[in-house]
Amino acid sequence: MSKKILITGGAGFIGSHVVRLFLNKYPEYQIVNLDKLTYAGNLENLKDVEKSPNYSFVKGDIVDASFINKLFAEQRFDGIIHLAAESHVDRSITNPLAFVETNVIGTLNLLNAAKEQWKGNMDGKLFYHISTDEVYGSLGEEGFFLETTAYDPRSPYSASKASSDHFVRAYHHTYGLPTVVSNCSNNYGPNQFPEKLIPLCIHNIKNGKPLPIYGDGKYTRDWLWVKDHAAAIELIYHKGLIGETYNIGGHNEWKNIDLVHLLCDQTDKALGRPQGTSRALITFVKDRPGHDKRYAIDATKIKKELGFEPSITFEQGLSETIDWYLINTDWLDNITSGAYAEYYAQQYKNR
Ligand code: NAD
Ligand code: TYD
């Protein structure tokens, strides 16, 4: 059946994989990608699919309510998959307001526009909000985040995502808006902006620069291959139950230092350098303020109810990721020229 789906943040890391998956798998759907093209948005991520007859791109800001209302007045959407966000914890520590604007106000603008457009007949409609496991706070050595775990956001980024999640659920309960929310663990893979740990380290290894490890390096994250996240999103979009929440994770916990060791060894191998070359670049630096100790998802619900499981091992995914960054040198060079250098100098100057 034909559907028109608005995907916000489709030029970003995860969004571009979601757009590609939907375009290729559902040629009968019309996919509209709305993105402001901030520093993290890059239409190069979609070069291979931008000419698809069922694809269109709209440049715009979700914080601009009149623009959003006009877009919804012009186009009638059956579904919204909302990924647009400010997404980097370190930037949220420097500039929290930008996170409130995009992640909270931007989400509210979309909720209001969907409520207005679908009033009177919400059959077959869906507002799907993409969120993060970071809203649940920080774990000790034991335990996992469940869908029922109480929210305990501890960074400005996670506080803004938690707020937007609450608004999405409030619109479901108050106005009957058909919504679904998923909370995913850390993603990795091609097209991730090199401010995040894995692409930042690959970029620095390539250039023989220090690999900055915050604190003691024993902070733990649960890593999921980005294409598996996109597959889970596609599954939830079609099979998820209205009003529900699904946690998505990789059952793949790594302490940062162990992950960076693996990354160094795999990259040395890919570059034909002697083992140990890149490990020598590891530099322990000043910790991130309020650094969450451990994230880990219990993904039982999505496995049992929707049959989702990650498709590849971390070693495979990491090796594909390294190869992608080593081959796509233009992508990386374009992104790391200009504003990135300023960001990097500022972010790591006192560390
Ligand atoms: P990203 O930073 O790579 O991409 C975000 C995209 O949103 C960019 O294309 C940017 O241009 C766009 N955008 C930002 N502000 C906008 C605005 N005001 N109006 C319109 N577009 C705007 O982020 P990502 O890593 O792809 O994350 C996508 C979503 O998934 C986010 O909601 C994030 O919270 C969530 N998430 C990310 C991860 C992860 O590990 N990266 C894990 C779980 C959940
Ligand atoms: P990041 O990729 O920023 O994701 P998040 O903070 O959303 O989990 O960071 C992943 C982990 O790596 C986190 O514990 C912080 C740490 N980290 C470093 O040690 N050094 C760095 O330069 C960066 C960017 C992150």
Side-chain angles (χ1 to χ4, degrees):
M1 206 180 66
S2 174
K3 281 180 197 292
K4 192 189 261 194
I5 302 177
L6 175 68
I7 298 183
T8 70
F13 166 47
I14 303 169
S16 59
H17 289 278
V18 175
V19 166
R20 179 177 298 99
L21 177 64
F22 273 76
L23 285 174
N24 290 337
K25 192 159 178 187
Y26 299 99
E28 71 278 23
Y29 290 2
Q30 273 179 275
I31 302 297
V32 179
N33 171 14
L34 164 63
D35 200 296
K36 184 181 173 183
L37 300 181
T38 66
Y39 76 92
N42 185 351
L43 288 176
E44 288 295 313
N45 293 345
L46 292 164
K47 259 276 131 325
D48 56 320
V49 288
E50 69 183 6
K51 298 219 159 58
S52 304
N54 57 335
Y55 173 70
S56 58
F57 173 70
V58 179
K59 184 171 188 296
D61 187 345
I62 58 170
V63 179
D64 182 347
S66 60
F67 160 75
I68 290 294
N69 293 339
K70 194 161 162 274
L71 177 73
F72 275 68
E74 284 163 9
Q75 307 214 31
R76 301 202 68 79
F77 301 113
D78 299 297
I80 296 155
I81 305 178
H82 174 37
L83 297 111
E86 287 291 339
S87 69
H88 188 39
V89 174
D90 289 329
R91 288 185 194 252
S92 82
I93 294 169
T94 322
N95 182 11
L97 189 58
F99 285 68
V100 175
E101 286 165 351
T102 288
N103 299 358
V104 185
I105 310 286
T107 301
L108 258 176
N109 287 338
L110 291 164
L111 287 166
N112 283 331
K115 175 165 87 68
E116 178 62 24
Q117 178 154 108
W118 298 340
K119 71 178 175 216
N121 183 10
M122 305 227 182
D123 287 354
K125 307 290 192 271
L126 184 65
F127 189 108
Y128 180 4
H129 178 63
I130 306 300
S131 192
T132 165
D133 62 356
E134 302 192 24
V135 297
Y136 297 122
S138 181
L139 293 164
E141 294 293 320
E142 310 239 311
F144 296 92
F145 297 135
L146 284 158
E147 286 79 357
T148 49
T149 300
Y151 274 30
D152 182 23
R154 298 149 66 100
S155 74
Y157 164 64
S158 55
S160 69
K161 290 297 290 186
S163 173
S164 63
D165 294 10
H166 289 319
F167 272 107
V168 172
R169 294 193 182 101
Y171 270 58
H172 174 63
H173 290 289
T174 309
Y175 307 111
L177 196 75
T179 62
V180 70
V181 177
S182 59
N183 297 81
C184 189
S185 61
N186 285 58
N187 284 215
Y188 72 98
N191 307 95
Q192 187 169 31
F193 193 84
E195 63 190 352
K196 307 272 167 64
L197 180 68
I198 291 178
L200 183 143
C201 285
I202 299 173
H203 180 236
N204 286 10
I205 289 173
K206 248 186 82 186
N207 295 300
K209 284 176 60 182
L211 308 178
I213 307 295
Y214 296 163
D216 62 4
K218 295 198 175 127
Y219 295 88
T220 302
R221 299 291 183 264
D222 173 1
W223 294 91
L224 182 69
W225 176 234
V226 64
K227 295 182 191 182
D228 282 334
H229 188 192
I233 289 172
E234 189 264 311
L235 193 61
I236 292 169
Y237 184 85
H238 290 101
K239 302 267 167 56
L241 299 181
I242 303 280
E244 288 291 318
T245 296
Y246 297 90
N247 280 354
I248 312 171
H251 282 299
N252 179 40
E253 287 184 52
W254 286 81
K255 287 193 169 50
N256 292 337
I257 187 66
D258 297 335
L259 186 162
V260 172
H261 280 150
L262 178 64
L263 190 62
C264 286
D265 295 350
Q266 288 199 354
T267 312
D268 283 344
K269 201 168 158 205
L271 288 169
R273 292 176 179 170
Q275 283 295 303
T277 310
S278 299
R279 283 192 186 213
L281 298 170
I282 290 174
T283 311
F284 290 93
V285 299
K286 198 168 127 209
D287 212 347
R288 171 187 280 174
H291 200 166
D292 286 339
K293 188 78 194 157
R294 175 173 163 253
Y295 303 143
I297 284 278
D298 181 328
T300 309
K301 178 175 173 179
I302 190 169
K303 181 177 176 195
K304 259 186 152 165
E305 296 186 10
L306 304 182
F308 171 79
E309 276 189 287
S311 69
I312 58 172
T313 66
F314 191 51
E315 283 74 6
Q316 280 172 314
L318 207 53
S319 163
E320 276 201 43
T321 305
I322 293 163
D323 289 349
W324 188 88
Y325 281 94
L326 295 182
I327 290 164
N328 290 278
T329 45
D330 286 353
W331 186 94
L332 200 53
D333 291 348
N334 287 341
I335 270 188
T336 50
S337 61
Y340 178 80
E342 271 167 51
Y343 162 79
Y344 197 91
Q346 196 60 29
Q347 177 61 26
Y348 293 93
K349 77 171 176 214
N350 292 323
R351 289 200 138 106

